């Protein structure tokens, strides 16, 4: 079967976004790989034909964003176990025509938080119970953290906790109401309220943050969210959303290329793109 000397990867989203292309292309350049990355914008009713095209054109990998993270699942040939548990796919790998779905947001979040602290048996409060929180809670419970979830809509926090507990994590996940931050080693914001486009407010006041709390915000626009600034003002260790973005892209890179991701080159490209 004829094959192109260039391996193509890309992304599928409703509006073409270039951040993934920037990160992956920097990785290809650093390792001298004959890969190229193209962000594609498609409509929802074009998803199945886009996956047919992926097979026909032998496109090696696609990153997918909402709503395709859920929509692609019935169209794939197999799911990685973590993606199946989370119920969301952000990465599709084409193995000789067999399309396999992965979730790299999950390991990306655990690696970003794990850079700042030991995870096993430590206590983390996750704010939010939407799509992003699902991947983070599954990942942190999988790393044997004691996970509590607080969400504006309490029932969604309980439903997420119940769902994760079905996979029998080392410590059961709980839904909680109060934000007593002294009771935790880490706080992870997975709500959209710190995003610039949703007002950019911090979910907790700076004075409420104990200096020994590790604070991670998965939001990366702005990089210095109000929560990251509040944590730093208290002398607490803060992890910004760019770290999770970098590590989830690095995992995609490794799935597509089979090579260890050149983190320095990808990180430098991300910094340039975000600032
Ligand atoms: P994503 O896929 O990015 O997680 P989402 O599924 O819309 O997006 O979830 C957004 C999360 O941020 C939810 O947990 C939401 O709380 P609700 O479940 O109560 O809607 C939370 N959120 C958004 N704006 C918020 C705000 N102003 N205050 C508190 N929580 C907020």
């Amino acid at each position: 079967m004829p094959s192109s000397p260039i391996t193509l990867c890309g992304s599928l989203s409703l509006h073409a976004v270039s951040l993934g292309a920037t990160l992956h292309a920097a990785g290809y350049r650093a390792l001298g790989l004959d890969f190229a990355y193209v962000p594609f914008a498609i409509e929802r009713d074009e998803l199945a034909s886009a996956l047919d095209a992926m097979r026909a054109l032998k496109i090696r990998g696609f990153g997918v964003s909402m709503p395709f993270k859920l929509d692609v699942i019935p169209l794939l040939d197999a799911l990685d176990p973590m993606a199946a548990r989370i119920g969301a796919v952000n990465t599709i790998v084409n193995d000789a025509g067999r399309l396999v779905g992965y979730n790299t947001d999950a390991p990306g979040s655990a690696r970003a938080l794990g850079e700042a602290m030991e995870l096993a048996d430590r206590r983390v409060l996750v704010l939010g119970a939407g799509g992003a929180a699902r991947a983070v809670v599954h990942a942190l419970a999988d790393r044997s953290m004691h996970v509590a979830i607080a969400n504006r809509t309490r029932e969604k926090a309980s439903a997420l906790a119940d769902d994760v507990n079905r996979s029998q994590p080392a410590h059961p996940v709980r839904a909680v109401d109060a934000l007593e931050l002294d009771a935790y080693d880490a706080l992870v914001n997975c709500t959209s309220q710190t995003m610039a486009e949703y007002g950019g407010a911090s979910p907790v006041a700076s004075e409420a943050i104990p200096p020994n709390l590790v604070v991670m915000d998965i939001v990366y626009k702005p990089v210095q969210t109000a929560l990251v600034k509040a944590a730093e003002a208290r002398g607490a260790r803060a992890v910004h959303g760019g770290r999770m973005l970098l590590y989830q892209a690095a995992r995609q890179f490794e799935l597509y290329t089979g090579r260890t991701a050149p983190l320095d080159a990808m990180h430098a490209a991300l910094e340039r793109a975000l600032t």
Side-chain angles (χ1 to χ4, degrees):
M1 195 174 294
S3 65
S4 161
I6 292 181
T7 304
L8 188 61
C9 295
S11 58
L12 299 176
S13 51
L14 288 173
H15 308 285
V17 282
S18 58
L19 204 48
T22 304
L23 279 164
H24 284 263
Y28 303 152
R29 268 196 308 279
L31 297 187
L33 299 178
D34 282 332
F35 273 63
Y37 188 105
V38 181
F40 293 101
I42 59 166
E43 302 295 334
R44 271 184 106 153
D45 63 2
E46 293 172 319
L47 182 60
S49 45
L51 296 188
D52 287 341
M54 184 184 198
R55 290 189 179 89
L57 300 175
K58 300 172 183 59
I59 294 170
R60 170 67 177 156
F62 272 144
V64 295
S65 49
M66 288 304 285
F68 304 136
K69 287 184 180 187
L70 310 176
D71 291 355
V72 290
I73 289 179
L75 303 170
L76 298 174
D77 300 304
L79 284 185
D80 167 75
M82 184 53 122
R85 263 158 56 190
I86 296 167
V89 159
N90 78 324
T91 304
I92 306 170
V93 176
N94 179 359
D95 272 324
R98 185 168 176 271
L99 305 188
V100 184
Y102 293 84
N103 188 307
T104 70
D105 292 328
S109 67
R111 187 169 178 190
L113 187 62
E115 199 169 53
M117 63 186 292
E118 286 291 323
L119 301 184
D121 304 323
R122 308 289 294 282
R123 301 157 303 171
V124 61
L125 176 64
V126 174
L127 303 180
R134 277 190 76 74
V136 170
V137 171
H138 274 277
L140 299 182
D142 199 54
R143 299 289 294 269
S144 301
M145 292 195 87
H146 292 272
V147 184
I149 310 167
N151 191 47
R152 180 175 59 182
T153 312
R154 164 72 190 236
E155 306 83 77
K156 281 171 66 181
S158 303
L160 176 54
D162 291 347
D163 187 48
V164 178
N165 287 335
R166 271 191 276 281
S167 60
Q168 301 191 317
H171 308 294
V173 175
R174 298 175 300 131
V176 297
D177 290 314
L179 305 186
E180 286 157 15
L181 297 181
D182 287 329
Y184 300 98
D185 303 300
L187 173 74
V188 180
N189 175 52
C190 301
T191 74
S192 39
Q193 58 187 317
T194 63
M195 286 182 191
E197 62 200 279
Y198 292 109
S202 175
V204 292
S206 188
E207 311 77 63
I209 299 176
N212 58 353
L213 190 73
V214 176
V215 176
M216 179 160 110
D217 198 338
I218 70 163
V219 168
Y220 57 86
K221 266 187 204 162
V223 178
Q224 295 291 117
T225 64
L227 176 61
V228 166
K229 285 185 188 159
E232 287 177 345
R234 293 282 289 167
R237 173 122 190 215
V239 181
H240 63 71
R243 301 310 289 174
M244 172 170 160
L245 183 66
L246 174 68
Y247 290 135
Q248 74 77 20
R251 180 76 193 119
Q252 289 182 321
F253 185 96
E254 292 173 356
L255 287 166
Y256 299 158
T257 67
R259 300 281 298 271
T260 302
L263 284 176
D264 289 347
M266 293 174 75
H267 177 247
L270 180 64
E271 292 278 289
R272 280 195 300 276
L274 290 180
T275 51

